[in-house]
Amino acid sequence: MAGEKERCRRKVMDAQRLAALLQRGVGRMLVIDSRTFSEYNASHVLSSVNICCSKLVKRRLQQDKVSITELLQPNGKAKVNLCRKQEVVVYDQSTKDASLLSKDSFVSILLGKLEGSFHQVSLLTGLFLPHDVTSLGACP
């Protein structure tokens, strides 16, 4: 029961709102792509950071063996400006409704960890499809 209530309270954002925020140049926004590396390489939201949704990463997150900072800056070369007041938006390939996320899904676990580190975390609802590329300023 508590898990269901927690999932229903997740903040969500649609593609139009994200596009508007990105066009306004909201400087503290961090966009996280939680799809596979190959999906990310094929097309992604401009300036988004990829956190690959592998079973290994999921298990390490569940066991607190990897920090959010390590996931966002795995090689230390790509520096992401992390601050507690930053707004974070996570997207994947298929989540249409945040209330339908299972408690043990990669996205749900990732959102939980991010919510412990950042002021506001939202899930982009709807699908990330090729037509979203243009509206979100994405890189094909």
Side-chain angles (χ1 to χ4, degrees):
M1 218 34 146
E4 286 180 35
K5 287 181 182 178
E6 179 182 318
R7 286 184 300 219
C8 291
R9 289 185 294 178
R10 293 229 189 262
K11 293 181 180 167
V12 295
M13 183 178 296
D14 63 21
Q16 292 79 17
R17 174 144 170 73
L18 178 58
L21 290 171
L22 291 173
Q23 287 173 355
R24 283 199 323 236
V26 177
R28 290 193 170 173
M29 176 158 304
L30 174 61
V31 181
I32 298 175
D33 183 320
S34 67
R35 300 174 302 146
T36 66
F37 184 70
S38 60
E39 290 171 322
Y40 176 80
N41 277 341
S43 173
H44 60 271
V45 175
L46 192 62
S47 74
S48 65
V49 177
N50 181 243
I51 294 180
C52 185
C53 58
S54 73
K55 289 180 183 179
L56 176 63
V57 172
K58 176 182 169 183
R59 186 171 45 244
R60 293 189 75 207
L61 272 173
Q62 288 173 309
Q63 298 171 346
D64 290 325
K65 291 187 175 182
V66 64
S67 70
I68 292 300
T69 303
E70 290 170 320
L71 285 176
L72 294 172
Q73 300 177 160
N75 58 14
K77 292 179 184 175
K79 294 293 181 195
V80 177
N81 184 19
L82 303 175
C83 84
R84 177 92 179 116
K85 295 187 182 211
Q86 198 164 29
E87 183 173 354
V88 179
V89 177
V90 176
Y91 70 93
D92 64 1
Q93 188 68 33
S94 60
T95 302
K96 295 179 187 177
D97 184 347
S99 67
L100 299 178
L101 280 175
S102 69
K103 187 172 114 176
D104 66 342
S105 73
F106 178 81
V107 173
S108 185
I109 293 165
L110 177 62
L111 288 168
K113 297 295 181 178
L114 290 166
E115 288 164 350
S117 301
F118 294 99
H119 174 67
Q120 184 172 339
V121 178
S122 301
L123 176 66
L124 183 65
T125 56
L127 298 175
F128 184 81
L129 298 171
H131 71 270
D132 292 328
V133 171
T134 307
S135 66
L136 293 175
C139 294

